[in-house]
Amino acid sequence: MIPIKLEVNGRPIEVRVEPRQHLADFLREEMLLTATHLGCEHGVCGACTVLIDGAPARSCIAFPAMLDGARITTVEGLADDAVAAELREAFMDEHGLQCGFCTPGMLVMARDIVLRRPQADEDVIRHELAGNLCRCTGYVGIIRAIRKVAAGRADAVVTRGTVLEPPAYASPLALPVSPARVAVEAPLAPSPAAAMAGAGEGEAEAEPLRNPVELSESFEVPAPRAEVWALFQSPEQVIACLPGARLTAPSDGRTLKAEMVVKLGPMQAAFGGAGRITPDAANWSGTIDGRGVDARSATQVRARLGYRLAEIEADAATRVSVDVAYVLQGPLAQMSRGAIARDVAARLTQAFAANLAATVKGETPAAQNASLDAGALAWSVIKGWLARLFGRG
Amino acid sequence: MKAARFDYLRPASVVEAVAALAQDAGAKPVAGGQSLGPMLNLRLARPSTLVDVSKIADLRRVDERPDGVLYGAAITHAEFEDGTVPDPTPGFLARVAHGIAYRAVRNRGTVGGSLVHADPAADWPTTLTALGARVVLAGPSGARELALEDFILGAFSTALADGEIVTGVFIPRCSPQARFGYRKSCRKVGEFAEAMCAVLADPARGVHRLVVGATEGRHIVVTEAAAVIADPALLDARLTAAGLAAEPATLRLHQKVVRQAIEQLTTVPETESLPA
């Protein structure tokens, strides 16, 4: 718990807060100021907007621990504010609210708009209000209300951003560290016997991925095809080529249990799961199907890695073609946006290809056991490829 | 409480911040927290400790020099938007800042945080790369400086070493005649862009730079952009090579945004009715 001093709606407060408690929860649960509403709780909807040192901010992604010395004003604190009074009147006259859930945030933001942008026209108001969502009114009444108040204000009064001062002291704290990463087994994982049992179950397992992200990579390794084939039949070696991946149990050669850590900026996911290896020796090809779950974010991934080996240079070398398809579902997919997840997957595929080539040549994979920290460790491996791709070589 | 447990440290200096980060591999620096906050609430990020650098004096300093301005990393977007800090360009920074997310986010989000987060669809990484900005880093092995295009390596990926933080960003001074085009395409004002392009034409200094953002990975940076400005079609091969041609609509969107940004070099940009 961290001791802080705040001024909430003009009242000086001295409390101890847990660092992870966000400002909206603090205001509602500790201060019993329940006019601040919580909508999305990740900074998208604007319902929880309050004033921090006079400037609007999302209270759901602000933490009181970081706000020592700040002045907080909620919509309750604007009861006697002249501009807020005008706005309340205008919201009533112009049907600026229906269910009222977004209204506290709307009022705080509207007050900032009319102070900062007096004489604002509809375009300006719509632009400035874009961060506050309303699901009832269609915004027309809200915009009209703000416009009415803005039109009556000729004087330009610009509110400034938060004034931050250098801290007076450092405060080392002691709280339990974050919970240990736990890998879980995916629900799937058919037993080896079941996997080998019949075509029916095999087909059920191989159900196609819906709207997968697909990536292809092809590279040459200076070894005979049979040697490369042998490597692909060894789950230990294949997994060792995937940055951040490791087997969680010895593989029987047909199924595998593995864990894979992927870092995406500050986000980190540890996918624990199971896979099935299906070789097609007649065609020198095969697939590895897998499913995994990140226990912490409940993000699910389904992926398929297909490979084909072709003889080149009279079997002195082998061309390896790798096709990766995956579907990501859950919070991580929502947060990371498709294109960025795709970028990471593309780099993983690149690093996999580079490591595989190194393994065949008898070298140690460069990124073995290291997670793909989107560019840190595996970066050296893929730098050359990126340089070519972006023409910066 | 939405976020997983974390400790909180508020070091008083860059040296203390670097030491705190070096001690704990799970520690994350935080300033405005406008990108990290949502990830904490969704428990996608679970740092063991947040090292708050937002109030370190060095990170709040603005140093005006003849050749440009060195901004502390914790200067907020709103401070750029309001002109609270000096601008070495003819008004470009305020224009960019005005288009970042929403005012409630701009009041807390910082320029350094945006660069370190390195979201390809964010405003500062693309526009400051076009302006030829450099980042100043401090870490266990001392301070160093990098051109922004060498600092951002891809989506959410930077050249930041373990225990290193960004302390400042240096933006070179433009000539008064310099022109800047910036256009992004968003589904909604304040949302992440689906395509963006920033272009700087400063003939007096002999500088022509063009940067395409909101790519799937690293920005496309053209440092000698005079030819591309004259003929945007020259850029098509690089847009395709960056994987933007996988979806025809994505390629078209980027091509259009590049052309609109270049058009702004000779016209007055619209400010309110378009996202940028």
Side-chain angles (χ1 to χ4, degrees):
Chain A
M1 301 289 266
I2 296 186
I4 53 160
K5 287 181 188 174
L6 290 173
E7 189 191 301
V8 179
N9 293 340
R11 200 155 54 104
I13 308 278
E14 277 188 53
V15 281
R16 300 175 75 82
V17 291
E18 196 173 336
R20 65 175 171 146
Q21 185 176 44
H22 62 62
L23 178 60
D25 273 352
F26 172 79
L27 291 170
R28 291 177 56 84
E29 291 168 15
E30 314 283 330
M31 300 285 107
L32 302 178
L33 293 168
T34 52
T36 300
H37 289 174
L38 277 165
C40 70
E41 280 197 84
H42 63 281
V44 173
C45 76
C48 69
T49 307
V50 300
L51 299 176
I52 300 177
D53 290 328
R58 309 276 203 234
S59 59
C60 71
I61 53 173
F63 296 91
M66 291 182 65
L67 293 170
D68 191 19
R71 211 156 31 88
I72 313 292
T73 312
T74 68
V75 80
E76 290 104 327
L78 295 175
D80 300 325
D81 179 83
V83 182
E86 269 185 74
L87 281 164
R88 283 195 300 270
E89 199 71 26
F91 267 63
M92 281 191 282
D93 292 347
E94 302 293 345
H95 186 69
L97 70 154
Q98 191 164 312
C99 84
F101 196 86
C102 70
T103 310
M106 286 288 179
L107 284 171
V108 171
M109 204 57 228
R111 182 179 172 278
D112 179 68
I113 294 169
V114 300
L115 286 174
R116 206 160 38 83
R117 317 266 327 239
Q119 308 278 321
D121 63 15
E122 182 171 335
D123 259 7
V124 170
I125 294 169
R126 281 188 177 273
H127 192 114
E128 294 283 353
L129 202 65
N132 290 63
L133 303 182
C134 170
R135 301 284 82 153
C136 311
T137 65
Y139 301 100
V140 175
I142 298 172
I143 307 285
R144 246 191 339 243
I146 297 173
R147 208 174 160 182
K148 195 167 163 184
V149 176
R153 300 188 61 85
D155 310 327
V157 181
V158 176
T159 60
R160 283 282 167 82
T162 314
V163 180
L164 297 165
E165 283 169 314
Y169 62 94
S171 133
L173 305 157
L175 274 180
V177 292
S178 61
R181 198 157 42 73
V182 186
V184 291
E185 262 176 42
L188 180 73
S191 69
M196 304 298 279
E201 271 177 297
E203 274 161 21
E205 163 68 8
E207 97 187 61
L209 299 173
R210 263 175 299 168
N211 296 322
V213 177
E214 292 173 302
L215 304 157
S216 293
E217 187 56 37
S218 132
F219 53 95
E220 289 170 19
V221 285
R225 181 158 68 170
E227 205 176 298
V228 182
W229 175 259
L231 190 153
F232 267 99
Q233 305 319 305
S234 156
E236 286 81 6
Q237 284 186 288
V238 172
I239 290 295
C241 290
L242 265 177
R246 64 176 186 90
L247 286 178
T248 49
S251 169
D252 59 6
R254 285 293 168 266
T255 61
L256 56 88
K257 287 184 180 176
E259 185 198 55
M260 184 162 171
V261 178
V262 182
K263 276 186 180 175
L264 195 59
M267 297 178 271
Q268 179 173 314
F271 290 102
R276 205 175 74 141
I277 303 163
T278 316
D280 180 1
N283 293 311
W284 297 91
S285 66
T287 54
I288 301 171
D289 290 284
R291 272 188 193 197
V293 180
D294 172 34
R296 300 196 307 191
S297 69
T299 300
Q300 294 180 37
V301 64
R302 290 184 56 203
R304 166 170 296 182
L305 184 145
Y307 59 90
R308 290 185 310 282
L309 309 180
E311 275 179 4
I312 48 171
E313 296 166 20
D315 206 20
T318 306
R319 167 155 290 280
V320 182
S321 305
V322 178
D323 298 309
V324 174
Y326 72 90
V327 180
L328 203 58
Q329 285 175 316
L332 193 62
Q334 180 195 348
M335 200 62 204
S336 63
R337 304 201 299 277
I340 290 165
R342 190 190 158 91
D343 179 52
V344 172
R347 293 194 216 181
L348 279 171
T349 308
Q350 287 295 330
F352 175 71
N355 287 337
L356 199 68
T359 305
V360 169
K361 285 181 210 157
E363 298 160 10
T364 311
Q368 195 171 18
N369 295 329
S371 67
L372 184 86
D373 187 357
L377 290 159
W379 180 245
S380 59
V381 180
I382 55 180
K383 204 172 186 174
W385 167 75
L386 282 171
R388 283 198 303 284
L389 181 65
F390 294 107
R392 293 171 50 84
Chain B
M1 279 177 261
K2 298 277 283 185
R5 251 174 213 203
F6 55 80
D7 285 355
Y8 172 76
L9 289 175
R10 193 192 307 139
S13 68
V14 171
V15 174
E16 281 180 34
V18 167
L21 290 166
Q23 258 173 26
D24 180 358
K28 283 270 167 205
V30 62
Q34 299 299 289
S35 294
L36 188 59
M39 289 174 196
L40 290 172
N41 282 3
L42 292 171
R43 299 202 170 192
L44 290 169
R46 299 190 183 209
S48 55
T49 304
L50 283 188
V51 178
D52 184 355
V53 298
S54 66
K55 291 171 187 173
I56 294 176
D58 275 351
L59 271 64
R60 296 279 312 149
R61 183 172 294 159
V62 178
D63 188 4
E64 198 160 11
R65 300 174 184 175
D67 58 338
V69 178
L70 175 65
Y71 298 95
I75 300 297
T76 65
H77 312 319
E79 285 167 319
F80 283 101
E81 183 185 18
D82 294 349
T84 312
V85 290
D87 184 347
T89 72
F92 306 156
L93 298 181
R95 205 170 105 205
V96 171
H98 178 62
I100 298 173
Y102 317 110
R103 179 72 184 185
V105 170
R106 300 198 288 274
N107 280 329
R108 302 206 64 76
T110 66
V111 64
S114 169
L115 297 178
V116 173
H117 189 54
D119 190 321
D123 295 78
W124 287 130
T126 301
T127 53
L128 294 186
T129 303
L131 292 172
R134 302 178 65 78
V135 286
V136 185
L137 316 173
S141 48
R144 61 181 180 134
E145 212 178 295
L146 276 179
L148 199 45
E149 60 259 44
D150 298 326
F151 175 71
I152 297 176
L153 304 179
F156 294 137
S157 154
T158 67
L160 211 61
D162 285 342
E164 234 179 359
I165 60 167
V166 167
T167 56
V169 52
F170 178 78
I171 302 177
R173 195 172 294 282
C174 293
S175 71
Q177 295 78 35
R179 300 286 303 178
F180 187 64
Y182 178 44
R183 184 76 177 97
K184 59 177 176 174
S185 174
C186 309
R187 283 289 181 91
K188 164 181 169 293
V189 170
E191 264 297 329
F192 282 106
E194 294 179 330
M196 59 164 54
C197 176
V199 54
L200 172 71
D202 193 354
R205 287 192 301 144
V207 174
H208 294 86
R209 293 169 67 89
L210 183 144
V211 179
V212 178
T215 60
E216 292 186 356
R218 202 171 188 176
H219 293 89
I220 299 171
V221 183
V222 187
T223 50
E224 305 289 336
V228 171
I229 291 170
D231 180 10
L234 292 174
L235 202 62
D236 289 354
R238 293 195 57 186
L239 294 176
T240 306
L244 300 175
E247 291 274 340
T250 307
L251 181 65
R252 288 286 292 276
L253 201 58
H254 274 90
Q255 286 173 326
K256 187 69 188 169
V257 160
V258 167
R259 280 156 183 77
Q260 286 176 336
I262 291 172
E263 277 166 25
Q264 283 187 1
L265 294 175
T266 49
T267 57
V268 179
E270 296 179 63
T271 49
E272 295 295 347
S273 55
L274 292 172

